Amino acid sequence: MPATVKVPKNRQSRLSDNVWLAAEAMARFIGSKSPREGIETGFMNYVLDLNQKDSRFAEIWEKVQNEGIDDD
C-alpha cells in the first residue's frame, strides 16, 4: 500500500485536502518531512515574488509588517 499524507485528525487547520497534498509535495521537494514547512516555504516564495512584481502588494505587505503581530 502506498504511503499517505498525514492530515491532523481534528482538521482544525481547515485546509483542503488539495492544499495538504501540495504541502506534502513542497515538503518533499525542499527535503523536509513537515507539510507545515512546505506550506510556509511555498507561501513565502509566493509573497516574495509578488512583492517584487506588484508595487501595490509591496505597500500593503510593508504596512502589515509595520503593524506587527498582536500576541494578546
Side-chain angles (χ1 to χ4, degrees):
M1 175 185 255
T4 57
V5 175
K6 301 283 188 204
V7 175
K9 291 187 187 324
N10 60 13
R11 295 214 177 236
Q12 285 181 338
S13 69
R14 297 192 176 131
L15 296 175
S16 69
D17 288 350
N18 284 341
V19 172
W20 278 110
L21 294 172
E24 179 65 23
M26 180 62 79
R28 292 179 190 183
F29 178 73
I30 64 172
S32 171
K33 293 183 180 182
S34 166
R36 179 190 57 80
E37 288 181 22
I39 290 169
E40 289 177 357
T41 298
F43 183 76
M44 285 309 299
N45 284 341
Y46 178 69
V47 166
L48 295 173
D49 186 49
L50 193 56
N51 186 56
Q52 289 180 341
K53 292 179 178 178
D54 189 318
S55 61
R56 182 173 172 267
F57 177 80
E59 289 174 15
I60 293 169
W61 191 37
E62 183 176 352
K63 180 181 178 191
V64 170
Q65 286 178 310
N66 289 335
E67 292 170 1
I69 293 177
D70 183 0
D71 287 328
D72 292 338

